Amino acid sequence: MSRLAAAEWRKNGARLFTVIARILQNSTDAPANMNRRVEPELLDALPANDPRAIRSRLDLRRVNALMGNAGVIARAVLQASGGLPLRQLVDLGAGDGAFMLRLAKRLSPAWPNVEVTLVDRQDIVNAETRREFEALSWSARSVAADVFDWLSRTTDPRVDLVTANLFLHHFADPALRRLMELASGRTNCFAACEPRRYPAALRASQWLWLLGCNSITRHDAVASVRAGFDGPELSALWPGNGSWRLREEAAGLFSHLFVGNARPPRK
Ligand SMILES: C[S@@+](CC[C@H](N)C(=O)[O-])C[C@H]1O[C@@H](n2cnc3c(N)ncnc32)[C@H](O)[C@@H]1O
């Protein structure tokens, strides 16, 4: 297939997928058993330079675009910041940085000169992505580390915002509770966008072949929805005592938004 034909196929696939997704979303079937289930994802086990991993990370960009997660987080954090520009951001499980770049494109008009730290086990932020951050007058630093290690060891000062996209669902509740405890000590604002665990999202995740996604992405998408969130599940794990204002809700077609704001903001 020529490049042009492949692009056309993907474009049509995306349109068809959106139509099917809307039909699925509006379907009134009774939910299947959808207790939260965390299982290993294939992308996490592949070396960064494995062609299947490289392809799957490109798929992830399209999945993120379809889910509209950058828009969901951008609107939520602009609202949460009350119009004040933020200066230091950390993205946990940032992958190749493409998601944060998409977010930066939305936030940079309101928030210039931001320093963003991209934390991921794999060191895969390429030069082109870094240049695109610079073009927005943002500076991006990548840190190759396990987020638990990094959060517990970093000596960086507290940042204005910590984000996570399609990342929290990797962890079972006890690890998540620990992650949130560590993250809450590093910021006054935490925002995450995750798969929403509900039947329409599960069905849609089984249709990703329509977008030309590879077997790794197709496996991980289904696993991600099963490990996703519904209702106030993340709020229940956030370290409480009333000192945080929490917001948690369904967002877009398939996403689940969580935002925590310290009140009053700590210095
Ligand atoms: C589904 S990808 C999401 C990447 C990115 N946030 C996005 O939206 O495109 C999950 C990422 O989490 C990373 N990851 C998984 N467990 C991790 C851990 N314990 N510490 C740091 N990164 C981790 C993986 O390497 C992968 O890049």
Side-chain angles (χ1 to χ4, degrees):
M1 201 186 301
S2 74
R3 272 185 166 199
L4 210 63
E8 192 60 22
W9 162 252
R10 277 200 296 272
K11 207 165 74 194
N12 289 335
R15 276 200 208 109
L16 184 59
F17 188 87
T18 308
V19 171
I20 291 170
R22 284 193 190 283
I23 294 168
L24 289 177
Q25 198 198 24
N26 292 330
S27 72
T28 53
D29 290 4
N33 173 3
M34 290 210 61
N35 290 334
R36 181 157 194 259
R37 197 167 93 201
V38 180
E39 54 192 70
E41 295 191 19
L42 301 180
L43 181 59
D44 291 341
L46 288 175
N49 59 359
D50 185 303
R52 293 167 299 166
I54 293 170
R55 171 67 192 281
S56 182
R57 291 198 184 270
L58 294 177
D59 292 345
L60 253 183
R61 296 180 184 196
R62 276 180 288 144
V63 171
N64 265 320
L66 195 81
M67 294 177 82
N69 286 2
V72 168
I73 294 197
R75 285 187 292 278
V77 298
L78 284 169
Q79 191 184 340
S81 70
L84 291 177
L86 307 190
R87 293 280 176 243
Q88 274 105 24
L89 264 64
V90 167
D91 191 30
L92 301 177
D96 60 8
F99 174 78
M100 182 43 80
L101 180 60
R102 196 180 269 265
L103 189 56
K105 286 179 181 164
R106 289 174 181 266
L107 296 177
S108 55
W111 299 351
N113 308 317
V114 167
E115 288 168 21
V116 57
T117 303
L118 305 164
V119 186
D120 198 284
R121 263 201 309 231
Q122 297 194 330
D123 190 6
I124 46 175
V125 182
N126 66 28
E128 174 61 24
T129 301
R130 286 174 205 281
R131 271 196 297 275
E132 288 196 59
F133 275 112
E134 277 164 30
L136 298 170
S137 77
W138 281 35
S139 71
R141 165 178 77 126
S142 55
V143 175
D146 176 272
V147 293
F148 293 89
D149 288 348
W150 186 78
L151 283 167
S152 38
R153 289 194 197 154
T154 179
T155 52
D156 288 0
R158 190 183 290 147
V159 295
D160 301 315
L161 171 66
V162 173
T163 55
N165 184 63
L166 303 184
F167 178 61
L168 300 184
H169 69 271
H170 284 70
F171 306 102
D173 288 3
L176 258 184
R177 198 185 288 280
R178 171 85 183 123
L179 179 61
M180 291 179 141
E181 189 186 314
L182 291 169
S184 68
R186 309 261 0 118
T187 187
N188 284 328
C189 185
F190 180 91
C193 204
E194 293 296 317
R196 181 175 166 208
R197 194 180 77 254
Y198 84 126
L202 184 62
R203 287 193 209 106
S205 68
Q206 291 157 344
W207 284 74
L208 283 180
W209 55 271
L210 272 173
L211 293 187
C213 293
N214 75 2
S215 58
I216 305 299
T217 314
R218 297 199 308 267
H219 170 277
D220 287 357
V222 173
S224 300
V225 174
R226 291 198 176 119
F229 303 96
D230 189 28
E233 292 174 339
L234 290 168
S235 303
L237 298 169
W238 190 261
N241 64 13
S243 57
W244 288 79
R245 190 172 55 245
L246 303 180
R247 169 180 173 196
E248 184 165 9
E249 62 203 34
L253 281 178
F254 307 119
S255 305
H256 183 86
L257 172 71
F258 172 78
V259 184
N261 261 98
R263 57 175 182 194
R266 298 157 304 178
K267 296 279 177 226

